[in-house]
Amino acid sequence: MPVKINENYLLLKSSYIFAEINQKVNKFQEENPDAPIIRMGIGDVTRPLPQAVIKEFHKAVDEMGQSETFMGYGPEQGYSFLIKDIIENDFRPRGIELSEDEVFVSDGAKCDTGNIQEIFGLDNVVAVTDPVYPVYVETNVMAGRTGPMGEDGRYEKLVYLPCTAENDFVPELPSEPVDLIYLCFPNNPTGTTLNKDQMATWVNYARKNKAIILFDAAYESYITEEDIPHSIYEIEGAKEVAIEFRSFSKNAGFTGTRCAYTVVPKELMGYDEEGNAQAINPLWNRRQTTKFNGVSYPIQKAAQAVYSDEGQKEIAESISYYMKNAAIIRESLIEIGLNVYGGINSPYIWVKTPEGMDSWGFFDLLLTEANVVGTPGVGFGPSGEGYFRITAFNTLENTKEAMDRISKLSI
Ligand code: MLT
């Protein structure tokens, strides 16, 4: 018998959205070698790692070269020095108590949000907001929790919760029962948020229906407004129903360095076939200890430095730098008459495409006429059609230049 593949992979679109964009941009650049392309597509940061981080990173690398301080395998869950600082800085000030074994350090929120589905049964019904970070959808396709994608751009068996200007980008509770709910706020890609009451609606839904919320908070450091929760655990009862994913990528520039963490509270329960409650935390621990050998020591030392006074000061500067870009993008696009969302508690600006133009049409226009790259909204799901995402992660100079060029187009 010939070797069989996992046929679920054949259900996927041929390439990941950012790979597809890269191919198009590279082709355009080959044909137009002098075009001064400005990339505002993938959410990758441009500011270097904070000096406080670099200092500890270097020190830890040197330790690895001395027999007295060399470190081999570390704990798969992460070193206690980093986990203590995570709890002390990211949760305790918000009144959230966590124990060290509820925090799992990892190499990225993309990996964790992609891998988490492995510890849940294949017959769970999965709900996603639409548009959505493709990783949540595609990892469930790979696992076999969906059918094929229909003409409408939706995978069978997946429950889509549209988030558009019509509902202020606030997902409505599903009309059919769902088990696993992916929420990301501040949202990628729309840049919009949920306030405490709106988030409480979801926590209450999950408690009532014995569902679990997979809450991606990778962009929490961009929140500027008061009533927006930074952690889902700010909502009463959320520890019983939610896993939270955090990242050092967008707040501290770790996109290439890789460090993140996931919180799996001990109160969180799933159910076996007999209906007995089973704690989720030991399942994730078991998964990680088998499949993951932890984040390297120098990187965890570097991540710890994010919490030093100097580190905090430097990351605050970077975030306000990007948020200044976000304000420039918002103002420039509003000025030329476009409808613009997000960009106030988030580095993403979600733009309604001009009348009569779809997401890819707007992508092509900006690429060819302004040499500016963004992300077509439809790449994040069918409800993203007619929208376009621009990131604030480029330099101030490039952001201004890109907005100048777009402002000159006749849109
Ligand atoms: C994005 O552009 O959506 C980001 O790159 C997401 C990510 O961090 O993987």
Side-chain angles (χ1 to χ4, degrees), residues 155-190:
Y155 284 100
E156 269 172 29
K157 293 201 232 170
L158 216 57
V159 174
Y160 289 79
L161 309 165
C163 293
T164 60
E166 283 69 41
N167 63 4
D168 268 337
F169 302 95
V170 177
E172 275 165 36
L173 293 176
S175 49
E176 56 207 289
V178 300
D179 305 303
L180 289 171
I181 305 155
Y182 288 84
L183 295 180
C184 171
F185 290 100
N187 187 255
N188 179 13
T190 65

mmCIF file of all heavy atoms in Angstrom, residues 155-190:
data_model
loop_
_atom_site.group_PDB
_atom_site.id
_atom_site.type_symbol
_atom_site.label_atom_id
_atom_site.label_comp_id
_atom_site.label_asym_id
_atom_site.label_seq_id
_atom_site.Cartn_x
_atom_site.Cartn_y
_atom_site.Cartn_z
ATOM 1 N N TYR A 155 -15.684 27.075 5.705
ATOM 2 C CA TYR A 155 -15.497 25.632 5.866
ATOM 3 C C TYR A 155 -16.742 25.048 6.506
ATOM 4 O O TYR A 155 -17.278 25.603 7.471
ATOM 5 C CB TYR A 155 -14.288 25.342 6.750
ATOM 6 C CG TYR A 155 -12.976 25.538 6.033
ATOM 7 C CD1 TYR A 155 -12.235 26.706 6.223
ATOM 8 C CD2 TYR A 155 -12.466 24.565 5.183
ATOM 9 C CE1 TYR A 155 -11.018 26.886 5.567
ATOM 10 C CE2 TYR A 155 -11.254 24.742 4.534
ATOM 11 C CZ TYR A 155 -10.533 25.906 4.724
ATOM 12 O OH TYR A 155 -9.341 26.085 4.076
ATOM 13 N N GLU A 156 -17.187 23.911 5.963
ATOM 14 C CA GLU A 156 -18.333 23.208 6.564
ATOM 15 C C GLU A 156 -18.029 22.848 8.003
ATOM 16 O O GLU A 156 -16.879 22.519 8.326
ATOM 17 C CB GLU A 156 -18.572 21.894 5.799
ATOM 18 C CG GLU A 156 -19.533 22.018 4.650
ATOM 19 C CD GLU A 156 -19.564 20.736 3.831
ATOM 20 O OE1 GLU A 156 -19.315 19.648 4.387
ATOM 21 O OE2 GLU A 156 -19.796 20.868 2.608
ATOM 22 N N LYS A 157 -19.057 22.843 8.826
ATOM 23 C CA LYS A 157 -19.027 22.445 10.243
ATOM 24 C C LYS A 157 -18.445 23.525 11.165
ATOM 25 O O LYS A 157 -18.566 23.421 12.381
ATOM 26 C CB LYS A 157 -18.252 21.141 10.477
ATOM 27 C CG LYS A 157 -18.927 19.924 9.879
ATOM 28 C CD LYS A 157 -18.413 18.689 10.581
ATOM 29 C CE LYS A 157 -17.936 17.683 9.542
ATOM 30 N NZ LYS A 157 -17.220 16.577 10.106
ATOM 31 N N LEU A 158 -17.773 24.521 10.603
ATOM 32 C CA LEU A 158 -17.241 25.598 11.444
ATOM 33 C C LEU A 158 -18.341 26.646 11.597
ATOM 34 O O LEU A 158 -19.075 26.901 10.643
ATOM 35 C CB LEU A 158 -16.050 26.216 10.701
ATOM 36 C CG LEU A 158 -14.863 26.685 11.507
ATOM 37 C CD1 LEU A 158 -14.296 25.552 12.336
ATOM 38 C CD2 LEU A 158 -13.770 27.198 10.562
ATOM 39 N N VAL A 159 -18.468 27.222 12.784
ATOM 40 C CA VAL A 159 -19.481 28.264 12.987
ATOM 41 C C VAL A 159 -18.792 29.623 12.884
ATOM 42 O O VAL A 159 -17.832 29.896 13.603
ATOM 43 C CB VAL A 159 -20.170 28.091 14.362
ATOM 44 C CG1 VAL A 159 -21.115 29.245 14.644
ATOM 45 C CG2 VAL A 159 -20.916 26.761 14.396
ATOM 46 N N TYR A 160 -19.261 30.425 11.943
ATOM 47 C CA TYR A 160 -18.667 31.750 11.710
ATOM 48 C C TYR A 160 -19.525 32.805 12.386
ATOM 49 O O TYR A 160 -20.749 32.822 12.242
ATOM 50 C CB TYR A 160 -18.590 32.042 10.204
ATOM 51 C CG TYR A 160 -17.550 31.218 9.481
ATOM 52 C CD1 TYR A 160 -17.805 29.889 9.128
ATOM 53 C CD2 TYR A 160 -16.314 31.761 9.154
ATOM 54 C CE1 TYR A 160 -16.843 29.124 8.475
ATOM 55 C CE2 TYR A 160 -15.348 31.007 8.487
ATOM 56 C CZ TYR A 160 -15.618 29.697 8.154
ATOM 57 O OH TYR A 160 -14.669 28.948 7.515
ATOM 58 N N LEU A 161 -18.875 33.720 13.099
ATOM 59 C CA LEU A 161 -19.578 34.806 13.784
ATOM 60 C C LEU A 161 -19.152 36.117 13.121
ATOM 61 O O LEU A 161 -18.068 36.633 13.418
ATOM 62 C CB LEU A 161 -19.195 34.822 15.271
ATOM 63 C CG LEU A 161 -19.311 33.475 16.008
ATOM 64 C CD1 LEU A 161 -18.571 33.517 17.345
ATOM 65 C CD2 LEU A 161 -20.778 33.121 16.224
ATOM 66 N N PRO A 162 -19.963 36.614 12.182
ATOM 67 C CA PRO A 162 -19.538 37.790 11.422
ATOM 68 C C PRO A 162 -19.302 39.011 12.311
ATOM 69 O O PRO A 162 -20.062 39.255 13.255
ATOM 70 C CB PRO A 162 -20.719 38.042 10.475
ATOM 71 C CG PRO A 162 -21.469 36.762 10.436
ATOM 72 C CD PRO A 162 -21.268 36.116 11.765
ATOM 73 N N CYS A 163 -18.231 39.727 12.019
ATOM 74 C CA CYS A 163 -17.918 40.985 12.707
ATOM 75 C C CYS A 163 -17.676 42.024 11.619
ATOM 76 O O CYS A 163 -16.624 42.016 10.966
ATOM 77 C CB CYS A 163 -16.665 40.852 13.556
ATOM 78 S SG CYS A 163 -16.871 39.739 14.942
ATOM 79 N N THR A 164 -18.668 42.870 11.410
ATOM 80 C CA THR A 164 -18.573 43.865 10.343
ATOM 81 C C THR A 164 -19.023 45.207 10.896
ATOM 82 O O THR A 164 -19.487 45.289 12.042
ATOM 83 C CB THR A 164 -19.503 43.477 9.169
ATOM 84 O OG1 THR A 164 -20.838 43.416 9.666
ATOM 85 C CG2 THR A 164 -19.125 42.141 8.551
ATOM 86 N N ALA A 165 -18.922 46.232 10.051
ATOM 87 C CA ALA A 165 -19.347 47.570 10.488
ATOM 88 C C ALA A 165 -20.814 47.534 10.937
ATOM 89 O O ALA A 165 -21.203 48.261 11.846
ATOM 90 C CB ALA A 165 -19.156 48.561 9.354
ATOM 91 N N GLU A 166 -21.610 46.638 10.319
ATOM 92 C CA GLU A 166 -23.050 46.574 10.635
ATOM 93 C C GLU A 166 -23.300 46.201 12.095
ATOM 94 O O GLU A 166 -24.278 46.642 12.681
ATOM 95 C CB GLU A 166 -23.770 45.571 9.717
ATOM 96 C CG GLU A 166 -24.028 46.077 8.301
ATOM 97 C CD GLU A 166 -22.745 46.236 7.476
ATOM 98 O OE1 GLU A 166 -21.860 45.361 7.562
ATOM 99 O OE2 GLU A 166 -22.619 47.271 6.771
ATOM 100 N N ASN A 167 -22.463 45.366 12.671
ATOM 101 C CA ASN A 167 -22.662 45.042 14.101
ATOM 102 C C ASN A 167 -21.550 45.629 14.975
ATOM 103 O O ASN A 167 -21.276 45.106 16.063
ATOM 104 C CB ASN A 167 -22.852 43.528 14.328
ATOM 105 C CG ASN A 167 -21.619 42.711 13.940
ATOM 106 O OD1 ASN A 167 -20.588 43.261 13.569
ATOM 107 N ND2 ASN A 167 -21.719 41.402 14.025
ATOM 108 N N ASP A 168 -20.919 46.682 14.491
ATOM 109 C CA ASP A 168 -19.844 47.342 15.247
ATOM 110 C C ASP A 168 -18.709 46.385 15.600
ATOM 111 O O ASP A 168 -18.037 46.559 16.608
ATOM 112 C CB ASP A 168 -20.387 47.945 16.554
ATOM 113 C CG ASP A 168 -20.794 49.379 16.347
ATOM 114 O OD1 ASP A 168 -20.273 49.993 15.403
ATOM 115 O OD2 ASP A 168 -21.654 49.852 17.122
ATOM 116 N N PHE A 169 -18.559 45.352 14.798
ATOM 117 C CA PHE A 169 -17.490 44.368 14.987
ATOM 118 C C PHE A 169 -17.602 43.634 16.322
ATOM 119 O O PHE A 169 -16.608 43.183 16.881
ATOM 120 C CB PHE A 169 -16.112 45.032 14.831
ATOM 121 C CG PHE A 169 -15.947 45.689 13.494
ATOM 122 C CD1 PHE A 169 -16.204 47.054 13.334
ATOM 123 C CD2 PHE A 169 -15.585 44.956 12.381
ATOM 124 C CE1 PHE A 169 -16.080 47.667 12.086
ATOM 125 C CE2 PHE A 169 -15.460 45.559 11.126
ATOM 126 C CZ PHE A 169 -15.707 46.919 10.983
ATOM 127 N N VAL A 170 -18.834 43.523 16.827
ATOM 128 C CA VAL A 170 -19.083 42.776 18.071
ATOM 129 C C VAL A 170 -19.793 41.471 17.695
ATOM 130 O O VAL A 170 -20.914 41.506 17.189
ATOM 131 C CB VAL A 170 -19.958 43.601 19.041
ATOM 132 C CG1 VAL A 170 -20.268 42.787 20.288
ATOM 133 C CG2 VAL A 170 -19.257 44.912 19.389
ATOM 134 N N PRO A 171 -19.137 40.327 17.909
ATOM 135 C CA PRO A 171 -19.765 39.067 17.487
ATOM 136 C C PRO A 171 -21.015 38.763 18.314
ATOM 137 O O PRO A 171 -21.031 38.968 19.527
ATOM 138 C CB PRO A 171 -18.677 38.018 17.760
ATOM 139 C CG PRO A 171 -17.794 38.636 18.793
ATOM 140 C CD PRO A 171 -17.840 40.114 18.559
ATOM 141 N N GLU A 172 -22.042 38.270 17.623
ATOM 142 C CA GLU A 172 -23.253 37.851 18.344
ATOM 143 C C GLU A 172 -23.092 36.422 18.823
ATOM 144 O O GLU A 172 -22.392 35.631 18.197
ATOM 145 C CB GLU A 172 -24.454 37.937 17.404
ATOM 146 C CG GLU A 172 -25.044 39.326 17.366
ATOM 147 C CD GLU A 172 -25.976 39.507 16.183
ATOM 148 O OE1 GLU A 172 -26.674 38.547 15.817
ATOM 149 O OE2 GLU A 172 -25.978 40.632 15.633
ATOM 150 N N LEU A 173 -23.770 36.092 19.910
ATOM 151 C CA LEU A 173 -23.713 34.715 20.409
ATOM 152 C C LEU A 173 -24.241 33.782 19.325
ATOM 153 O O LEU A 173 -25.160 34.144 18.588
ATOM 154 C CB LEU A 173 -24.564 34.579 21.670
ATOM 155 C CG LEU A 173 -24.057 35.332 22.906
ATOM 156 C CD1 LEU A 173 -25.051 35.195 24.046
ATOM 157 C CD2 LEU A 173 -22.681 34.835 23.338
ATOM 158 N N PRO A 174 -23.665 32.579 19.216
ATOM 159 C CA PRO A 174 -24.096 31.669 18.151
ATOM 160 C C PRO A 174 -25.526 31.180 18.367
ATOM 161 O O PRO A 174 -25.962 31.022 19.510
ATOM 162 C CB PRO A 174 -23.114 30.501 18.249
ATOM 163 C CG PRO A 174 -22.495 30.606 19.588
ATOM 164 C CD PRO A 174 -22.589 32.019 20.036
ATOM 165 N N SER A 175 -26.209 30.915 17.276
ATOM 166 C CA SER A 175 -27.589 30.437 17.396
ATOM 167 C C SER A 175 -27.625 28.912 17.515
ATOM 168 O O SER A 175 -28.645 28.323 17.787
ATOM 169 C CB SER A 175 -28.397 30.906 16.188
ATOM 170 O OG SER A 175 -27.688 30.597 15.022
ATOM 171 N N GLU A 176 -26.499 28.258 17.278
ATOM 172 C CA GLU A 176 -26.422 26.802 17.442
ATOM 173 C C GLU A 176 -25.357 26.518 18.510
ATOM 174 O O GLU A 176 -24.471 27.354 18.729
ATOM 175 C CB GLU A 176 -26.022 26.148 16.118
ATOM 176 C CG GLU A 176 -24.721 26.695 15.578
ATOM 177 C CD GLU A 176 -24.615 26.603 14.059
ATOM 178 O OE1 GLU A 176 -24.470 25.482 13.566
ATOM 179 O OE2 GLU A 176 -24.641 27.655 13.403
ATOM 180 N N PRO A 177 -25.416 25.354 19.173
ATOM 181 C CA PRO A 177 -24.444 25.092 20.243
ATOM 182 C C PRO A 177 -23.015 24.980 19.708
ATOM 183 O O PRO A 177 -22.794 24.359 18.666
ATOM 184 C CB PRO A 177 -24.899 23.742 20.818
ATOM 185 C CG PRO A 177 -26.194 23.417 20.175
ATOM 186 C CD PRO A 177 -26.358 24.264 18.962
ATOM 187 N N VAL A 178 -22.077 25.599 20.398
ATOM 188 C CA VAL A 178 -20.663 25.469 20.019
ATOM 189 C C VAL A 178 -19.862 25.096 21.263
ATOM 190 O O VAL A 178 -20.301 25.341 22.387
ATOM 191 C CB VAL A 178 -20.104 26.768 19.387
ATOM 192 C CG1 VAL A 178 -20.870 27.153 18.136
ATOM 193 C CG2 VAL A 178 -20.069 27.918 20.378
ATOM 194 N N ASP A 179 -18.693 24.498 21.046
ATOM 195 C CA ASP A 179 -17.885 24.000 22.167
ATOM 196 C C ASP A 179 -16.607 24.802 22.386
ATOM 197 O O ASP A 179 -16.231 25.106 23.508
ATOM 198 C CB ASP A 179 -17.513 22.531 21.909
ATOM 199 C CG ASP A 179 -18.746 21.685 21.649
ATOM 200 O OD1 ASP A 179 -19.637 21.676 22.515
ATOM 201 O OD2 ASP A 179 -18.836 21.066 20.565
ATOM 202 N N LEU A 180 -15.925 25.116 21.291
ATOM 203 C CA LEU A 180 -14.672 25.862 21.386
ATOM 204 C C LEU A 180 -14.857 27.182 20.649
ATOM 205 O O LEU A 180 -15.302 27.197 19.498
ATOM 206 C CB LEU A 180 -13.531 25.091 20.709
ATOM 207 C CG LEU A 180 -13.031 23.840 21.420
ATOM 208 C CD1 LEU A 180 -12.072 23.075 20.504
ATOM 209 C CD2 LEU A 180 -12.330 24.202 22.723
ATOM 210 N N ILE A 181 -14.528 28.282 21.328
ATOM 211 C CA ILE A 181 -14.753 29.602 20.729
ATOM 212 C C ILE A 181 -13.422 30.367 20.725
ATOM 213 O O ILE A 181 -12.838 30.602 21.788
ATOM 214 C CB ILE A 181 -15.772 30.403 21.575
ATOM 215 C CG1 ILE A 181 -17.069 29.595 21.736
ATOM 216 C CG2 ILE A 181 -16.032 31.769 20.975
ATOM 217 C CD1 ILE A 181 -17.854 29.967 22.986
ATOM 218 N N TYR A 182 -12.960 30.716 19.551
ATOM 219 C CA TYR A 182 -11.737 31.517 19.463
ATOM 220 C C TYR A 182 -12.119 32.992 19.479
ATOM 221 O O TYR A 182 -12.887 33.441 18.623
ATOM 222 C CB TYR A 182 -11.002 31.239 18.149
ATOM 223 C CG TYR A 182 -10.339 29.879 18.078
ATOM 224 C CD1 TYR A 182 -11.059 28.753 17.709
ATOM 225 C CD2 TYR A 182 -8.985 29.732 18.369
ATOM 226 C CE1 TYR A 182 -10.447 27.501 17.637
ATOM 227 C CE2 TYR A 182 -8.368 28.483 18.290
ATOM 228 C CZ TYR A 182 -9.108 27.374 17.921
ATOM 229 O OH TYR A 182 -8.495 26.147 17.850
ATOM 230 N N LEU A 183 -11.580 33.730 20.435
ATOM 231 C CA LEU A 183 -11.785 35.182 20.459
ATOM 232 C C LEU A 183 -10.415 35.837 20.515
ATOM 233 O O LEU A 183 -9.526 35.365 21.247
ATOM 234 C CB LEU A 183 -12.601 35.605 21.689
ATOM 235 C CG LEU A 183 -14.056 35.124 21.794
ATOM 236 C CD1 LEU A 183 -14.680 35.642 23.088
ATOM 237 C CD2 LEU A 183 -14.886 35.564 20.586
ATOM 238 N N CYS A 184 -10.244 36.919 19.776
ATOM 239 C CA CYS A 184 -8.988 37.671 19.795
ATOM 240 C C CYS A 184 -9.338 39.137 19.955
ATOM 241 O O CYS A 184 -9.952 39.724 19.064
ATOM 242 C CB CYS A 184 -8.228 37.433 18.492
ATOM 243 S SG CYS A 184 -6.790 38.510 18.269
ATOM 244 N N PHE A 185 -8.988 39.711 21.095
ATOM 245 C CA PHE A 185 -9.265 41.134 21.336
ATOM 246 C C PHE A 185 -8.146 41.769 22.130
ATOM 247 O O PHE A 185 -7.746 41.182 23.137
ATOM 248 C CB PHE A 185 -10.611 41.315 22.061
ATOM 249 C CG PHE A 185 -11.769 40.982 21.158
ATOM 250 C CD1 PHE A 185 -12.404 39.751 21.235
ATOM 251 C CD2 PHE A 185 -12.184 41.889 20.202
ATOM 252 C CE1 PHE A 185 -13.451 39.434 20.371
ATOM 253 C CE2 PHE A 185 -13.233 41.579 19.331
ATOM 254 C CZ PHE A 185 -13.871 40.348 19.430
ATOM 255 N N PRO A 186 -7.650 42.972 21.743
ATOM 256 C CA PRO A 186 -7.934 43.680 20.509
ATOM 257 C C PRO A 186 -7.773 42.752 19.310
ATOM 258 O O PRO A 186 -6.857 41.948 19.258
ATOM 259 C CB PRO A 186 -6.901 44.796 20.495
ATOM 260 C CG PRO A 186 -6.540 45.006 21.932
ATOM 261 C CD PRO A 186 -6.651 43.677 22.566
ATOM 262 N N ASN A 187 -8.664 42.946 18.361
ATOM 263 C CA ASN A 187 -8.810 41.961 17.305
ATOM 264 C C ASN A 187 -7.789 42.076 16.186
ATOM 265 O O ASN A 187 -7.475 43.147 15.718
ATOM 266 C CB ASN A 187 -10.234 42.079 16.723
ATOM 267 C CG ASN A 187 -10.528 40.984 15.724
ATOM 268 O OD1 ASN A 187 -10.545 41.205 14.527
ATOM 269 N ND2 ASN A 187 -10.730 39.776 16.216
ATOM 270 N N ASN A 188 -7.279 40.920 15.806
ATOM 271 C CA ASN A 188 -6.583 40.783 14.545
ATOM 272 C C ASN A 188 -7.582 40.060 13.634
ATOM 273 O O ASN A 188 -8.020 38.973 13.976
ATOM 274 C CB ASN A 188 -5.329 39.930 14.715
ATOM 275 C CG ASN A 188 -4.592 39.745 13.415
ATOM 276 O OD1 ASN A 188 -4.870 40.422 12.437
ATOM 277 N ND2 ASN A 188 -3.656 38.809 13.395
ATOM 278 N N PRO A 189 -8.029 40.663 12.543
ATOM 279 C CA PRO A 189 -7.458 41.797 11.826
ATOM 280 C C PRO A 189 -8.158 43.153 12.005
ATOM 281 O O PRO A 189 -7.622 44.140 11.534
ATOM 282 C CB PRO A 189 -7.642 41.370 10.365
ATOM 283 C CG PRO A 189 -8.964 40.668 10.375
ATOM 284 C CD PRO A 189 -9.013 39.938 11.700
ATOM 285 N N THR A 190 -9.306 43.226 12.666
ATOM 286 C CA THR A 190 -10.092 44.468 12.556
ATOM 287 C C THR A 190 -9.594 45.599 13.461
ATOM 288 O O THR A 190 -10.003 46.744 13.290
ATOM 289 C CB THR A 190 -11.579 44.229 12.881
ATOM 290 O OG1 THR A 190 -11.683 43.853 14.266
ATOM 291 C CG2 THR A 190 -12.185 43.136 12.016
#
